[in-house]
Amino acid sequence: GSLDFAAVKVELLEEGKVVRDAAIRFGFPLPEGGLFSADHLRLLGPDGREVPAQYAITAFWPDDSVKWVLIQFTAPLKAGEKALYTVEAGNKVSRQAPAAGLTAKREGDAIRLDTGNLAAEISSNGVRFAAGTKALGELQNPVLADESGKEFVFTPDAIVLEESGDRTATVKIDGALGELARGVLRLRFYAGSMA
């Protein structure tokens, strides 16, 4: 592409009065013809060091160059802190190989995920969780009762690995709540987390 190097500052502000590891995700635009791969993007933290992030192309220009990239990462923020991150883009930009992170794959009618601390299996029967070899429990399909006490069970029609990378993954579950309604459930998992 024609973009050799650009640096764009991104300011984060923790408006809440809490200390947390914030899950950040935002769209990043690129000029037409600038880049043809997300491999030439990287994120630097306030200290100038590279931050592990996930880059997913979400739109292309008519010449097949990258138009938009979804960037996702975790930012440790103190209460009331402003933190300045930098996105670098261009042919002269390269990033480190990602460390082992989240894995997600389809096996039969189930999707299996591993965050490094938590394993999950999502199927039409519900969600099972484990940490290492220890089972942590499971979530059955949701049930809703109307005012007369009649129960409606959420029955999945389709389970899709909607988004998957080494930092985060999203599982989309389409289904019906009996004859009452249709709905969508989304479960998001983060590398290194218990959720």
Side-chain angles (χ1 to χ4, degrees):
S2 61
L3 183 63
D4 280 335
F5 181 81
V8 177
K9 302 293 184 187
V10 177
E11 184 178 87
L12 304 180
L13 171 62
E14 173 50 66
E15 293 181 310
K17 303 301 180 205
V18 297
V19 175
R20 66 182 173 135
D21 287 335
I24 307 296
R25 63 189 269 146
F26 61 91
F28 187 78
L30 289 160
E32 187 169 7
L35 291 178
F36 288 84
S37 166
D39 293 341
H40 295 287
L41 291 163
R42 75 176 180 163
L43 181 70
L44 303 178
D47 60 2
R49 286 191 244 166
E50 188 172 341
V51 173
Q54 181 171 305
Y55 306 86
I57 298 171
T58 58
F60 293 93
W61 289 102
D63 67 353
D64 289 330
S65 63
V66 178
K67 186 174 188 177
W68 283 95
V69 176
L70 178 65
I71 300 175
Q72 300 178 83
F73 64 102
T74 302
L77 296 171
K78 298 175 184 149
E81 178 183 17
K82 274 188 186 177
L84 196 59
Y85 285 74
T86 304
V87 177
E88 291 184 340
N91 296 319
K92 295 181 178 177
V93 174
S94 61
R95 63 176 178 264
Q96 299 171 359
L102 183 142
T103 59
K105 61 183 173 180
R106 176 169 284 285
E107 290 183 4
D109 70 339
I111 294 176
R112 295 182 195 277
L113 298 107
D114 191 334
T115 70
N117 290 322
L118 176 78
E121 179 184 292
I122 302 159
S123 71
S124 58
N125 297 322
V127 183
R128 282 190 225 119
F129 297 101
T133 58
K134 182 180 179 187
L136 297 177
E138 60 184 86
L139 297 172
Q140 298 296 321
N141 293 332
V143 177
L144 179 71
D146 67 12
E147 64 277 356
S148 68
K150 182 176 179 184
E151 293 186 344
F152 300 90
V153 178
F154 182 81
T155 306
D157 296 332
I159 300 171
V160 178
L161 187 56
E162 187 173 58
E163 175 187 16
S164 178
D166 63 338
R167 308 304 311 154
T168 184
T170 303
V171 177
K172 177 183 171 190
I173 306 170
D174 288 303
L177 199 55
E179 66 270 3
L180 186 65
R182 295 205 47 80
V184 175
L185 297 173
R186 281 189 172 84
L187 303 174
R188 181 174 296 279
F189 296 84
Y190 298 92
S193 75
M194 288 296 288

